[in-house]
Amino acid sequence: MSIFSQVQITDSIEMIKIRDTYFDDTFKNKINLEQPMFTNERGDVWRMPMVHLAEKVITFDDILNKACLPVLGLESFRDAATKLLLGNESLALLEGRAFSAQVLSGTNGLRVAAEFLHKHLNYKTVYISSPSWRNYDYVFRSAKFENILYYSYWNISTRSLNIEAMLRDLRNARTPAVVVLQVCAHSPSSYDPTKAQWMEIANVVKEKNLFPVLFSPFQGIASGDVDEDAWVVRYFVSNGFEFFCSQALGKNFAFCNERIGNLVCVTKNSDVITNLKSQLALIITGLYSRPALHVASVVTYILNDPQLYDEWKENIKAMYLKCEKVRINLRQALEKLGTPGRWAHITQQRGMFANIGLTKEQIVYLMNTHHVYIRICGRINLSAVNANNLDFVYIRICGRINLSAVNANNLDFLAKAICDTIKSVPANAPQCC
Ligand SMILES: Cc1ncc(COP(=O)(O)O)c(C=O)c1O
């Protein structure tokens, strides 16, 4: 008998189940709205032209130093990515109070931060939003956090931000604790606080002495402007917070399988940084030894070349505009069909995804009746609907759709499927993951 016989099967993560169902489906015109990547009109993952160009240059450049990277990663990448997040004129940078580590991804940055906070600052409790991006829970549990607690965020019944409840929960937080705050295009609601509300949130975080772990996975895609989408991070800097911010660069460079992130740390004093770096390096060594060079070089090349940088920002804006157009069209189509309920939330949300706010029962019906697959949390990828897959629309079971995947050709089909679902399955008990 194998020693592995004692290992039990786990419920596979919902996203994997949906993906498997999609791949197993033999319908010719199936489409996938669950995948989190920006897709083109043919439904293929879209590559940014300047990424393609930078990759070619870097791959064939014999002069470029391709020696082993240090544990904290490529210095030029760390500098460029950190400036992108904090801004060139950031006081934290000018005063030497900010540094970063190149990490494998946004998720990995959270894991490294969580590991550090548990090991060196003895944090055992983390507050994450309800609903939350699924990874947070796994990440903090893996780093041995004992209490994964939730603060109110999105009210699925009203399909809006419940700011009073959020502030109340943070005020009542059990301390000491870490709080995870996604800085824009919140997952999975796609609903963000206003700047005035962020100021209130920051006040409570300060009053309660919660340690902020900021998460920035969509810089530029939420508003079309990289500086605007970093506003929350910069506000925390200007208000004297010490924090980690995990910066995911997969979405805004349209990487699909290349993995890259930057874990930024802002401190009150520069003299603590040498010690922090040494301990982070030890944590990274234990987790994966050291990061990879290629994709970090690609990002650095683009961020440091003024022309490519401008083109990159234009591309992000185009991604944003495509999703905004789909948002407006989807809302209009639902309203034109007389779909019961209010659909304003679709255009109030931001980024590449929309959360249409269906119940679990409605999402299952969509999947079974209309071959529309969405995550239980309601997110759909608006970029993934295209001319080749008019009839069968797969959305993540959480209900979040990828906005970049929806286009005029199958938008009507999607709207009709949602309309029929709302009429056929009453929303008795709205819920969200
Ligand atoms: C909601 C959400 N946030 C963030 C990310 C990016 O994180 P990472 O860099 O770990 O892929 C993803 C990636 O799929 C995502 O779906």
Side-chain angles (χ1 to χ4, degrees):
M1 164 127 46
S2 162
I3 191 168
F4 297 117
S5 313
Q6 60 193 303
V7 179
Q8 303 291 310
I9 192 163
T10 173
D11 265 357
S12 58
I13 303 172
E14 159 255 308
M15 182 177 85
I16 298 170
K17 280 195 210 155
I18 296 294
R19 216 162 272 177
D20 288 349
T21 316
Y22 169 76
F23 284 118
D24 290 347
D25 196 304
T26 52
F27 284 115
K28 189 168 136 263
N29 294 324
K30 65 184 179 181
I31 69 166
N32 183 356
L33 288 191
E34 73 80 22
Q35 65 170 351
M37 296 314 303
F38 196 88
T39 55
N40 65 16
E41 296 299 302
R42 290 192 310 279
D44 300 325
V45 171
W46 178 65
R47 298 287 287 173
M48 280 185 166
M50 74 285 311
V51 165
H52 205 56
L53 187 134
E55 282 202 299
K56 276 198 211 151
V57 173
I58 281 152
T59 305
F60 298 107
D61 186 340
D62 293 333
I63 299 162
L64 203 77
N65 185 358
K66 292 186 180 160
C68 287
L69 283 185
V71 177
L72 293 184
L74 184 68
E75 200 168 346
S76 52
F77 163 79
R78 289 155 50 198
D79 288 349
T82 305
K83 274 188 191 149
L84 175 69
L85 186 74
L86 301 183
N88 287 340
E89 306 305 320
S90 172
L91 261 192
L93 280 172
L94 299 175
E95 293 170 1
R97 296 186 288 106
F99 72 98
S100 78
Q102 177 192 336
V103 287
L104 305 182
S105 66
T107 311
N108 181 237
L110 292 170
R111 174 69 197 275
V112 172
E115 202 79 25
F116 177 89
L117 291 167
H118 179 265
K119 189 169 172 204
H120 294 287
L121 302 183
N122 206 25
Y123 282 108
K124 298 185 174 79
T125 301
V126 62
Y127 280 85
I128 60 180
S129 64
S130 171
S132 250
W133 188 39
R134 189 78 191 257
N135 288 20
Y136 295 150
D137 185 291
Y138 298 131
V139 163
F140 281 89
R141 270 182 216 288
S142 305
K144 302 193 189 68
F145 270 65
E146 287 163 17
N147 310 307
I148 316 288
L149 304 175
Y150 289 83
Y151 58 84
S152 302
Y153 190 85
W154 196 50
N155 182 338
I156 193 181
S157 303
T158 57
R159 291 159 178 166
S160 62
L161 178 71
N162 196 346
I163 186 70
E164 289 78 21
M166 178 181 182
L167 294 171
R168 181 202 60 215
D169 291 352
L170 292 179
R171 269 190 204 106
N172 293 334
R174 269 198 251 162
T175 53
V178 168
V179 61
V180 177
L181 298 164
Q182 185 166 329
V183 300
C184 65
H186 174 265
S187 307
S189 72
S190 295
Y191 216 108
D192 289 334
T194 61
K195 284 183 183 168
Q197 289 169 336
W198 272 115
M199 290 176 189
E200 289 185 84
I201 294 164
N203 280 344
V204 178
V205 171
K206 194 168 257 181
E207 266 162 47
K208 291 290 294 187
N209 204 18
L210 297 166
F211 186 91
V213 170
L214 308 180
F215 188 42
S216 173
F218 298 116
Q219 189 178 351
I221 308 175
S223 71
D225 180 327
V226 289
D227 292 313
E228 179 66 17
D229 288 355
W231 183 86
V232 174
V233 184
R234 296 174 193 183
Y235 183 77
F236 270 68
V237 173
S238 63
N239 276 271
F241 281 95
E242 299 193 294
F243 62 83
F244 279 113
C245 179
S246 180
Q247 188 184 11
L249 294 154
K251 295 286 179 291
N252 52 12
F253 279 85
F255 291 129
C256 185
N257 295 311
E258 297 83 354
R259 314 294 293 136
I260 186 78
N262 187 44
L263 177 64
V264 176
C265 180
V266 173
T267 65
K268 281 195 175 128
N269 313 311
S270 58
D271 56 5
V272 296
I273 287 182
T274 307
N275 295 5
L276 284 183
K277 278 185 176 170
S278 74
Q279 294 297 351
L280 279 170
L282 207 57
I283 286 170
I284 289 171
T285 305
L287 287 174
Y288 54 87
S289 179
R290 58 195 174 83
L293 174 66
H294 180 74
V295 72
S297 306
V298 171
V299 171
T300 311
Y301 190 82
I302 294 169
L303 292 180
N304 286 342
D305 180 300
Q307 194 187 331
L308 290 186
Y309 180 60
D310 284 346
E311 282 175 28
W312 173 70
K313 287 198 290 186
E314 284 306 309
N315 272 264
I316 294 186
K317 193 160 193 179
M319 290 164 82
Y320 159 77
L321 289 174
K322 178 182 176 186
C323 294
E324 278 308 290
K325 198 167 153 204
V326 174
R327 262 179 210 296
I328 294 165
N329 291 346
L330 182 59
R331 177 181 169 185
Q332 277 174 357
L334 288 167
E335 286 171 348
K336 210 164 131 197
L337 287 167
T339 312
R342 294 181 64 249
W343 298 97
H345 61 284
I346 294 183
T347 48
Q348 286 160 356
Q349 296 167 356
R350 309 201 305 160
M352 179 173 143
F353 301 97
N355 197 315
I356 46 183
L358 301 183
T359 64
K360 186 175 177 181
E361 291 71 25
Q362 289 172 332
I363 289 164
V364 171
Y365 177 89
L366 255 184
M367 192 156 61
N368 294 339
T369 311
H370 295 286
H371 299 269
V372 173
Y373 286 68
I374 70 174
R375 280 195 190 178
I376 288 294
C377 69
R379 184 182 93 156
I380 61 175
N381 176 348
L382 293 180
S383 71
V385 181
N386 64 55
N388 299 323
N389 45 26
L390 294 182
D391 295 337
F392 300 101
V393 182
Y394 286 74
I395 309 181
R396 280 193 176 175
I397 209 61
C398 69
R400 191 174 77 155
I401 62 174
N402 179 344
L403 290 175
S404 66
V406 179
N407 68 32
N409 295 308
N410 54 11
L411 188 136
D412 284 346
F413 173 81
L414 177 61
K416 281 181 193 148
I418 295 171
C419 181
D420 173 60
T421 301
I422 300 279
K423 285 180 176 164
S424 306
V425 186
N428 292 330
Q431 64 178 68
C432 205
C433 52

